[in-house]
Amino acid sequence: MRLRTVRERYRVGVRQLARELHIAPGFLSNWEAGCRAPAEPDVTRILGILRVSEVDFAQVMEDFRHLDSDVHTELITADRTPLLWAYEKVSRKIVEWAPRLPPDLFRTPDFARRTLGSHFLDPDEVDRQVFLQQAREDILTSEDGPEYTLFIGADALLPQGLSVDVAVDQVRNLLKLSQERRVIVRLVAADQQQLGAVDGFAFFHPDRARGATVVLKSWPCNVYFSSPSQLLRYRRIVRDLDGIALNATESFAAMRQTLSRLDTRVRDLAS
């Protein structure tokens, strides 16, 4: 469990917590995004201020102590191609868990602009990121691309605050991509989302000459894990997701039902 997840669970804002810690909000945001690593006393102080449960305290501290030399943090900048692209190109299999938002490869341009705009990027940088995202989508449709399994939470299927027209296009895009030969989309229903406290991640399985890697994608940083302990943990999470998610056929039907409801809302608004 990451610091941002536990902070949001206890409903404390970034500015409020930063004020309690006597640090700048941006400094706390960098800790949460993985751009900087807090010291262990800082982590325990944060958890004390949040008054977390013993269970959450133990989970956060366990995760923190797993951050060893097999961790690489990459700051996403306009002048550098993310390492993430290389993993997407060399992997034979990718498994992704998206609990709250559709992953970037599955986003429509309008949805991507909305999401990137929330990071206060200037319009030119937003356009650049959307263009690069569309270029990366080739791995989902290429005949020699990786096998891609997406576990998507009910909240990510229809995020709050979307306009109806953007939501319709986004669900249609998910339906279209789920029919690609090498793509499997599986929905985790809201009443089955026991893993809601687990942040989204992508598990890359390259060819046998390279080791597996887990990537936590959190703007403006990507954090890469390759230690055996972390890989084992995320393999178990993938196994748990496989046990609770709808199968591909059921997921497709559920997404079609969601699209039908959205189409009804569009007609009602137009009448």
Side-chain angles (χ1 to χ4, degrees):
M1 189 187 302
R2 301 173 69 191
L3 288 176
R4 181 179 63 186
T5 302
V6 74
R7 174 181 59 74
E8 291 175 345
R9 172 181 284 190
Y10 287 86
R11 299 182 179 180
V12 176
V14 170
R15 293 184 182 278
Q16 179 184 346
L17 181 55
R19 188 164 54 249
E20 294 278 352
L21 292 166
H22 302 290
I23 61 175
F27 201 86
L28 176 59
S29 296
N30 283 337
W31 279 352
E32 293 188 341
C35 299
R36 294 175 178 269
E40 185 167 336
D42 293 320
V43 178
T44 57
R45 187 175 170 215
I46 289 170
L47 299 179
I49 291 172
L50 294 175
R51 299 181 181 178
V52 303
S53 68
E54 291 184 9
V55 173
D56 285 344
F57 183 91
Q59 180 67 70
V60 172
M61 294 309 299
E62 179 185 1
D63 289 349
F64 174 78
R65 287 163 184 154
H66 280 155
L67 296 179
D68 50 29
S69 59
D70 293 313
V71 177
H72 170 68
T73 299
E74 173 188 44
L75 182 65
I76 302 170
T77 61
D79 58 349
R80 185 171 59 187
T81 301
L83 180 61
L84 183 68
W85 287 27
Y87 278 99
E88 290 170 348
K89 290 179 179 179
V90 303
S91 294
R92 58 181 174 80
K93 182 179 180 181
I94 302 172
V95 179
E96 184 150 8
W97 164 230
R100 300 178 189 87
L101 292 172
D104 43 3
L105 289 179
F106 290 78
R107 294 175 184 174
T108 64
D110 282 345
F111 184 88
R113 286 191 174 88
R114 172 189 176 276
T115 304
L116 291 166
S118 68
H119 299 306
F120 306 104
L121 299 179
D122 65 67
D124 288 342
E125 177 60 12
V126 169
D127 287 342
R128 177 182 178 278
Q129 292 294 335
V130 171
F131 174 79
L132 294 176
Q133 172 192 302
Q134 291 178 291
R136 289 165 54 213
E137 288 178 3
D138 287 347
I139 71 163
L140 299 177
T141 57
S142 172
E143 285 296 317
D144 58 353
E147 297 178 8
Y148 203 119
T149 299
L150 169 62
F151 293 101
I152 185 168
D155 291 342
L157 181 62
L158 199 60
Q160 293 183 353
L162 279 186
S163 63
V164 178
D165 55 338
V166 173
V168 166
D169 288 343
Q170 181 58 52
V171 175
R172 282 179 177 160
N173 194 54
L174 280 166
L175 283 166
K176 181 188 74 173
L177 291 172
S178 71
Q179 297 178 79
E180 292 292 336
R181 186 174 66 86
R182 302 178 71 84
V183 176
I184 297 173
V185 177
R186 298 182 59 188
L187 181 66
V188 178
D191 61 353
Q192 291 293 321
Q193 204 163 318
Q194 298 99 321
L195 294 172
V198 177
D199 289 288
F201 63 88
F203 203 137
F204 292 92
H205 300 263
D207 60 43
R208 294 183 180 179
R210 302 177 179 86
T213 299
V214 171
V215 181
L216 305 183
K217 296 185 285 186
S218 178
W219 188 275
C221 295
N222 293 325
V223 183
Y224 301 79
F225 298 95
S226 58
S227 69
S229 60
Q230 286 285 23
L231 294 179
L232 177 60
R233 180 192 175 209
Y234 281 97
R235 285 192 179 98
R236 289 172 175 165
I237 293 173
V238 170
R239 180 195 61 197
D240 291 342
L241 286 166
D242 184 60
I244 64 175
L246 302 177
N247 64 37
T249 302
E250 294 167 335
S251 298
F252 188 85
M255 289 189 289
R256 286 290 300 270
Q257 291 176 357
T258 299
L259 181 59
S260 178
R261 291 196 296 270
L262 288 170
D263 283 336
T264 299
R265 286 177 58 188
V266 171
R267 289 194 295 271
D268 290 345
L269 290 171
S271 61

